[in-house]
Amino acid sequence: MDVPCVRVPREEGEATRSRLADADLIDDGYEITVEDGSLYIPVTDSEAVPDDLEVVRRSADERETQTTPADLLGFDPSYERLGKAVLLDEDDGDRAREIADAVLESDLPVETVLNKASKVKGETRVRDWELLTGADTEVVHREYGCEFALDVAEVYFSPRLATERHRVAQQVESGERAFDMFAGVGPFVVPFAKRGAECVGVDINPDAIAYLRENARRNGVEDRVTAICADVRTLVSTRADADEDTTQVRDTKGPDYENWADRIVMNLPHSADEFLETAVAIAGDDCVVHYYDIQHEDDPFGPGERAIRAVAEPEYDVSVETRRTVRSYAPHELNVCLDVRLERSSA
Ligand code: SAM
């Protein structure tokens, strides 16, 4: 059967296989084959394969030893993998239990099966989970060569954003200063620091910050990561504060990160616009902002661009470098990213 495969010279095979495994892109249903000095590694999603790797279609033998949940169920259940956990989104409790039993009986290396029990809630964006099998809700997840410990019941984390985070991380240069305003357990901060950036990650959720610190240590980048548990708006003074002249705010805010960052990540898609004054205060003279938004498909990028210009101009010249659809969020709604360069204007 023809399947998408990454083709690499045999000597680069192991490094590439491990890179693809870290990104959870290897299709375990098919055998890796060697032919004429090249290795063909079957992949699950050719679109998600990093641009520097070649994808070809070719025949590959099915692995006979793997029993999948679908083999046992007679239908193909949808689920996400997060470390040794499987995450379900099933409304029907009986169906969820049936899938959980099949997952455990299959050859998937899984210890825990969780079913979504609520939508993401409140400012920490955490959801409730039903533990169907396994000891607890803590996992260790690998993504593009980084390892993240996290408790899905205490912090926000989505494995679906792996490709997007990798796209942004690839832009990071050694020595730059990167500030993640909504850092979670560190899926932007840790790979940025691995590329040599000096990073600050802020989150209002103390559990996320505890995991961010642990994950910086796990990945050997604690020297380049500062993790701060706070509402990011309390860290710097903005022009709005100056207009209001609130002495109380001035007492608590400091200049440490004002005019500081070469790069800012704003991944709080429903309300990032409310934090733009803070982002502009943190931005250095030449700063790229990765601004995540959720908007209607008719004009997915317009509201974000207008909001950024309204706050950053005329202090900064604003140029949009990338307009990217990350994924479909809901019918007619898209999760998008704007990569925007802010250059302090000379006027
Ligand atoms: N960047 C992480 C990721 O990709 O997994 C987390 C993104 S999650 C959508 C948004 C995060 O922002 C949550 O961890 C939440 O606790 C945090 N947050 C919400 N309001 C905040 C605020 N005012 N200041 C700092 N962090 C905040």
Side-chain angles (χ1 to χ4, degrees), residues 122-126 155-158 161 165 180-188 202-205 208 228 230-233 265 267-269 271 275:
E123 61 184 359
T124 60
R125 315 305 293 150
V126 178
V155 300
Y156 173 92
F157 187 86
S158 172
L161 299 178
R165 291 190 278 253
D180 188 343
M181 293 172 63
F182 313 106
V185 303
F188 286 99
V202 181
D203 205 288
I204 205 162
N205 179 348
I228 302 172
D231 180 331
V232 68
R233 288 170 293 203
V265 178
N267 184 17
L268 187 64
S271 45
F275 293 80

Side-chain angles (χ1 to χ4, degrees), residues 189 198-202 212-213 222-228 257:
V189 165
E198 185 188 340
C199 298
V200 175
V202 181
L212 170 53
R213 292 198 176 112
E222 65 271 36
D223 293 352
R224 289 193 290 283
V225 172
T226 302
I228 302 172
Y257 295 110

Side-chain angles (χ1 to χ4, degrees), residues 12 19 21 50 57 82 104 115 127 151 153 180 200 214 216 225 237 260 281 286 299 309 323 328:
E12 292 168 26
R19 222 175 126 196
R57 286 196 76 85
L82 190 64
L104 283 192
N115 193 22
R127 71 169 83 240
D151 186 333
D180 188 343
V200 175
E214 177 181 343
V225 172
S237 300
W260 185 86
D286 184 353
D299 184 18
R309 288 188 186 282
R323 292 176 181 83
S328 157

Side-chain angles (χ1 to χ4, degrees), residues 268-286:
L268 187 64
H270 286 288
S271 45
D273 58 332
E274 295 165 24
F275 293 80
L276 279 167
E277 291 277 358
T278 302
V280 168
I282 293 166
D285 291 346
D286 184 353

Side-chain angles (χ1 to χ4, degrees), residues 38-61:
S38 291
L39 206 69
Y40 294 84
I41 307 171
V43 287
T44 49
D45 180 359
S46 52
E47 297 285 306
V49 170
D51 291 343
D52 61 310
L53 297 175
E54 182 192 11
V55 180
V56 295
R57 286 196 76 85
R58 61 158 284 139
S59 68
D61 292 336

Side-chain angles (χ1 to χ4, degrees), residues 41-90:
I41 307 171
V43 287
T44 49
D45 180 359
S46 52
E47 297 285 306
V49 170
D51 291 343
D52 61 310
L53 297 175
E54 182 192 11
V55 180
V56 295
R57 286 196 76 85
R58 61 158 284 139
S59 68
D61 292 336
E62 280 188 42
R63 282 196 169 187
E64 283 170 14
T65 50
Q66 291 267 323
T67 303
T68 67
D71 296 334
L72 299 164
L73 289 164
F75 60 87
D76 204 0
S78 89
Y79 56 81
E80 288 176 88
R81 296 272 299 276
L82 190 64
K84 290 198 172 168
V86 153
L87 311 181
L88 305 180
D89 186 5
E90 293 292 336

